[in-house]
């Protein structure tokens, strides 16, 4: 029925085709008033030209049925809103009725020519034919998209005129009749062409609606997939947080037990060496947890860059303190150059990137050294980490920033090379992307590699006051100090108790808020008052360390407090400010715990 476009898409679904039919019928309804007005005006014009010359019976025989027909069409027009509510079948019946009345009205124009033609002069006859032809052309837009309906209408309108002119019998009449037939053929061709154009337009509209429906469906599916991905990301984050919390507990206890063992065996070099090995293993596991959690934070949008101007010297100084002992132990040279520069970026993220790069460089370098440089180039700052290590083959450079991928190299990796999960460079790449800082690598297998991070050049900050002189190690004694520990993990509680008693403190331990509160209520605050509280964050019965702090301070008054937690995914800064406590994340290095206790108790 309709013309096909050069590129045919899949057939639109039934609802779309039904929508097209409804649009067609709605178009007929909307154009009916204009059609009725045009017919009425045309009839009045013809009546004005022929009423004097034409017998009254002829005029009445034409006008009365014609206006009766117009009334029927008007009533049909008024019925449309009720019919539209009954569905597509009722609309199709309405269209058939509309088409029938329209074709009959065209036939009345043809009959009118039979009744009026012979009574007019040449001017009136010409006006009659032109009026009917104009009415026929006007129906193209209204009926041509229905094909056969328009052809029947045009035949009912024009062919009676040709027959009436031919019936006159003159030579000029024959020529005029032939011309009218030719005009009918032209009108039929115009109607067919209009129908093709109309069908193409409607086809495009239908395709557009079909594509829009597909787009809406795909958008809904994409939104659902995004929502599921967000749920999966949150689940992954929660899993890592829970796993980290649970795995840090025994590590925390292990470190505390190791330090307690050192305290009891200060003169035994072999025991000290074992303690050092234990602490190294704890530090390694802590590093693995940190890498996993860093990846999780970055993936879930938990890291927000905070760009500012900072001194490269400060970061290089901290890197030197951290890595010089490790490099020295392996017989490597660790050198820093270009410390005078200033960069504009997030100093914490930049330092984390450099720490991972320097750590990797030391791990994969057996001879020579590592050079960390900073220089300007093209109006930007280039931070580079050079090494003389095993290098990276060209085929592996595209994968070194993937999670859990470790360079294999040309020879088997030694134990310290395999240490880790292969997340260091993945974290480096994601942090660089987060800051929109270009990161690149060049490498020659067997000779070494250089990683380059490009940052904007910063400005020197305002000069601050002189820094306080660093203090030496704290010699901590807790004699005559009462420390209350609220910790539900038996191993951690026991390790803390052993360590604190080794430092001279008296320790009271509880595994729940309920037990701690019961003990507090049984004490006389004038005779017994804790000097320090050390509480875990997650406690049994749905309680938290904050509940323990509130319960104990409610009886004893303000008591210095240290909160220890194995979770690094939830920020407690607001809780710490509101309840006046300091936070340590498990596993807690004994030296850090000792320094925090000294700070909270005011030991100098």
């Amino acid at each position: 029925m309709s013309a096909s476009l050069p590129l045919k898409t899949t057939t639109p679904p039934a609802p779309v085709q039904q929508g097209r039919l409804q649009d067609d019928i709605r178009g007929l309804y909307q154009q009916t008033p204009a059609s009725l007005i045009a017919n009425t005006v045309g009839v009045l014009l013809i009546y004005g030209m022929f009423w004097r010359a034409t017998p009254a019976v002829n005029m009445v025989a034409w006008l009365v049925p014609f206006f009766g027909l117009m009334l029927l069409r008007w009533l049909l027009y008024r019925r449309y809103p009720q019919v539209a509510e009954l569905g597509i079948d009722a609309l199709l019946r309405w269209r058939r009725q509309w088409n029938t009345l329209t074709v009959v009205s065209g036939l009345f124009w043809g009959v009118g020519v039979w009744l009026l033609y012979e009574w007019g002069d040449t001017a009136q006859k010409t006006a009659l034919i032109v009026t009917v032809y104009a009415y026929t052309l006007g129906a193209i837009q209204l009926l041509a998209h229905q094909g056969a309906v328009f052809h029947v209408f045009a035949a009912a309108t024009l062919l009676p005129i040709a027959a009436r002119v031919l019936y006159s019998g003159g030579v000029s009449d024959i020529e005029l009749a032939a011309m009218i037939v030719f005009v009918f053929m032209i009108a039929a061709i115009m109607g067919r062409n209009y129908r093709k154009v109309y069908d193409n337009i409607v086809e495009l509209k239908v395709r557009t609606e079909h594509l829009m429906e597909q787009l809406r469906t795909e958008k809904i599916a994409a939104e659902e997939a995004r929502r599921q991905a967000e749920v999966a990301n949150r689940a992954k984050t929660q899993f890592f947080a829970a796993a980290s919390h649970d795995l840090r507990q025994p590590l925390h206890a292990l470190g505390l037990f190791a330090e307690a063992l050192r305290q009891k065996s200060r003169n035994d070099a072999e025991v000290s060496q074992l303690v050092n090995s234990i602490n190294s293993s704890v530090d390694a596991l802590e590093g693995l947890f940190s890498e996993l959690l860093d990846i999780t934070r970055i993936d879930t949008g938990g890291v927000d860059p905070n760009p500012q101007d900072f001194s490269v010297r400060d970061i290089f100084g901290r890197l030197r303190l951290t890595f010089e002992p490790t490099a020295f132990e392996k017989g490597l040279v660790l050198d820093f150059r270009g410390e005078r520069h200033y960069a504009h970026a997030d100093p914490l993220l930049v330092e984390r990137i450099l720490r991972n790069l320097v750590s990797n460089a030391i791990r994969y370098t057996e001879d020579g050294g590592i050079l960390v440089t900073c220089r300007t180039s093209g109006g930007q700052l280039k931070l580079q980490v050079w090494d003389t290590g095993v290098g990276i083959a060209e085929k592996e450079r595209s994968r070194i920033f993937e999670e859990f991928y470790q360079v294999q190299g040309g020879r088997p990796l030694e134990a310290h090379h395999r240490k880790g999960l292969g997340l260091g460079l993945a974290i480096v790449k994601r942090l660089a992307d987060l800051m929109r800082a270009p990161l690149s690598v060049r490498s020659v297998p067997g000779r070494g590699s250089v990683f380059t991070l490009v940052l904007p050049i910063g400005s020197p900050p305002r000069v601050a006051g002189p820094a306080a002189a660093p203090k030496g190690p704290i010699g901590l004694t807790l004699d005559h100090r009462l420390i209350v520990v609220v910790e539900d993990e038996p191993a951690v509680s026991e390790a803390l108790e052993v360590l604190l008693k080794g430092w001279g403190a008296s320790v009271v331990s509880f595994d729940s808020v309920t037990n701690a509160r019961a003990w507090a209520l049984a004490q006389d605050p004038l005779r017994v008052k804790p000097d320090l509280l050390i509480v875990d964050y997650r406690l049994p019965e749905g309680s938290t360390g904050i509940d323990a702090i509130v319960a104990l301070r409610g009886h004893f008054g303000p008591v210095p407090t240290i909160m220890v937690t194995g979770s690094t995914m939830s920020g407690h800064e607001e809780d710490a400010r509101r309840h006046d406590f300091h936070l340590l994340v498990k596993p807690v290095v004994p030296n850090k715990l000792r320094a925090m206790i000294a700070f909270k108790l005011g030991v100098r």
Side-chain angles (χ1 to χ4, degrees):
M1 175 179 174
S2 63
S4 299
L5 291 178
L7 295 178
K8 186 71 174 178
T9 60
T10 56
T11 302
V16 176
Q17 295 177 329
Q18 180 173 314
R20 173 180 173 175
L21 285 174
Q22 291 173 331
D23 287 345
D24 289 346
I25 297 172
R26 189 181 302 113
L28 295 178
Y29 164 74
Q30 292 172 346
Q31 295 184 67
T32 296
S35 175
L36 295 179
I37 293 174
N39 275 272
T40 302
V41 172
V43 167
L44 293 177
L45 289 175
I46 297 301
Y47 174 77
M49 288 188 294
F50 282 87
W51 73 277
R52 294 180 183 273
T54 306
V57 63
N58 287 18
M59 188 64 72
V60 171
W62 181 53
L63 290 180
V64 171
F66 190 88
F67 281 109
L69 182 63
M70 292 299 104
L71 178 60
L72 289 176
R73 291 185 64 186
W74 173 257
L75 294 175
L76 183 66
Y77 167 79
R78 295 296 301 273
R79 284 185 55 221
Y80 175 84
Q82 292 78 25
V83 172
E85 297 178 356
L86 301 178
I88 189 65
D89 292 336
L91 285 174
L92 290 174
R93 286 194 299 272
W94 185 91
R95 185 176 70 172
R96 285 195 294 270
Q97 295 170 0
W98 192 96
N99 287 337
T100 300
L101 294 178
T102 301
V103 170
V104 171
S105 68
L107 182 62
F108 266 98
W109 278 105
V111 171
V113 174
W114 272 92
L115 296 175
L116 305 178
Y117 185 77
E118 68 175 301
W119 306 103
D121 56 24
T122 302
Q124 291 172 324
K125 292 178 179 179
T126 302
L128 179 61
I129 294 174
V130 170
T131 300
V132 176
Y133 178 65
Y135 178 63
T136 304
L137 292 183
I140 290 179
Q141 184 178 358
L142 193 63
L143 296 173
H145 64 280
Q146 298 191 68
V149 175
F150 172 74
H151 292 149
V152 172
F153 175 84
T157 305
L158 295 177
L159 294 184
I161 301 177
R164 181 65 183 84
V165 172
L166 185 63
Y167 179 76
S168 299
V171 175
S172 60
D173 293 324
I174 296 175
E175 293 175 350
L176 180 59
M179 185 173 295
I180 293 174
V181 173
F182 178 73
V183 167
F184 165 73
M185 296 174 60
I186 294 297
I189 293 173
M190 291 174 61
R192 186 185 63 180
N193 291 339
Y194 180 87
R195 189 187 71 180
K196 289 182 179 180
V197 173
Y198 176 85
D199 286 343
N200 285 340
I201 293 174
V202 172
E203 184 72 15
L204 287 174
K205 180 177 180 291
V206 170
R207 291 185 189 181
T208 301
E209 291 175 348
H210 184 42
L211 290 175
M212 288 179 64
E213 184 62 30
Q214 287 182 329
L215 181 61
R216 281 192 292 268
T217 303
E218 292 173 1
K219 183 179 179 182
I220 292 173
E223 286 292 327
E224 178 62 20
R226 182 184 63 81
R227 188 188 64 80
Q228 292 179 357
E230 290 177 350
V231 171
N233 263 336
R234 286 195 296 269
K236 180 177 70 172
T237 302
Q238 293 168 358
F239 166 77
F240 278 121
S244 170
H245 177 272
D246 293 342
L247 292 173
R248 285 172 188 268
Q249 297 282 21
L251 286 179
H252 180 51
L254 180 61
L256 298 178
F257 277 128
E259 183 61 25
L261 180 61
R262 187 201 301 274
Q263 295 290 334
K264 293 182 178 294
S265 308
R266 294 181 180 178
N267 298 324
D268 192 328
E270 186 175 352
V271 172
S272 297
Q273 181 62 34
L274 289 174
V275 171
N276 289 336
S277 299
I278 292 172
N279 286 334
S280 296
S281 298
V282 171
D283 289 342
L285 287 173
E286 161 65 11
L288 297 183
F289 294 149
S290 296
E291 286 183 348
L292 286 171
L293 290 170
D294 280 345
I295 284 288
T296 304
R297 283 198 195 97
I298 296 169
D299 284 347
T300 55
V303 178
D304 295 319
N306 180 27
Q308 56 186 278
D309 293 328
F310 65 91
S311 171
V312 175
R313 184 184 305 276
D314 296 337
I315 292 181
F316 280 7
R318 290 190 290 271
L319 293 176
R320 181 181 285 108
L321 289 174
T322 302
F323 292 107
E324 268 188 342
T326 308
F328 178 79
E329 185 179 4
K330 290 190 67 174
L332 303 175
V333 176
L334 178 60
D335 195 12
F336 294 83
R337 297 180 185 175
E339 299 179 345
R340 68 184 183 279
H341 295 290
Y342 293 88
H344 183 79
D346 188 319
L348 296 179
L349 301 187
V350 172
E351 182 172 346
R352 185 60 195 269
I353 290 173
L354 292 179
R355 281 182 178 275
N356 282 359
L357 292 177
V358 174
S359 176
N360 264 16
I362 293 176
R363 179 183 303 174
Y364 290 98
T365 301
E366 301 299 329
D367 186 29
I370 294 90
L371 174 64
V372 185
T373 68
C374 181
R375 61 187 178 87
T376 58
S377 176
Q380 293 179 307
L381 208 61
K382 286 189 175 181
L383 288 168
Q384 296 180 309
V385 177
W386 303 71
D387 66 62
T388 57
V390 296
I392 306 168
E394 184 175 357
K395 64 180 181 180
E396 294 184 306
R397 288 176 207 160
S398 61
R399 299 193 59 193
I400 59 174
F401 296 112
E402 297 177 5
E403 297 90 340
F404 309 109
Y405 183 79
Q406 290 180 303
V407 176
Q408 300 303 313
R411 60 176 186 269
L413 295 178
E414 299 181 18
H416 62 278
H417 291 162
R418 295 191 297 270
K419 180 181 178 182
L421 295 175
L423 291 175
L425 290 180
I427 293 171
V428 165
K429 181 69 167 94
R430 296 195 183 189
L431 290 179
D433 290 344
L434 200 61
M435 296 190 298
R436 299 181 181 178
L439 177 69
S440 60
V441 58
R442 301 196 313 271
S443 185
V444 178
R447 297 184 61 182
S449 307
V450 54
F451 287 83
T452 302
L453 179 70
V454 181
L455 300 174
I457 296 177
S459 304
R462 290 180 296 180
V463 179
K471 298 180 180 180
I474 299 174
L476 180 65
T477 176
L478 299 178
D479 293 340
H480 310 298
R481 302 279 191 169
L482 175 60
I483 299 179
V484 176
V485 175
V486 185
E487 169 64 66
D488 65 321
E489 186 69 28
V492 175
S493 178
E494 183 182 352
L496 265 175
E497 190 170 348
V498 171
L499 182 60
L500 294 172
K501 287 181 178 179
W503 290 341
S506 298
V507 182
V508 183
S509 298
F510 303 99
D511 61 358
S512 68
V513 176
T514 301
N515 293 338
R517 183 185 292 111
W519 172 82
L521 293 175
Q523 307 304 315
D524 182 359
L526 298 178
R527 299 181 60 185
V528 177
K529 182 177 181 180
D531 295 286
L532 180 69
L533 307 179
I534 300 179
V535 299
D536 189 18
Y537 183 76
R538 293 187 183 180
L539 294 171
E541 303 169 356
S543 300
T544 67
I546 295 176
D547 298 323
I549 294 172
V550 172
L552 293 171
R553 286 180 176 173
H555 186 73
F556 295 110
V559 182
T561 302
I562 299 173
M563 173 90 66
V564 184
T565 179
S567 174
T568 62
M569 299 303 292
S570 300
H572 302 289
E573 292 80 4
E574 182 60 26
D575 290 333
R577 184 191 63 79
R578 186 183 302 114
H579 296 282
D580 187 26
F581 64 79
H582 281 74
L583 189 71
L584 290 176
V585 178
K586 299 177 182 178
V588 178
V589 179
N591 289 340
K592 184 181 294 186
L593 177 62
R594 184 168 58 236
M596 180 63 75
I597 292 174
F599 170 74
K600 297 299 288 186
L601 296 180
V603 177
R604 295 291 184 264

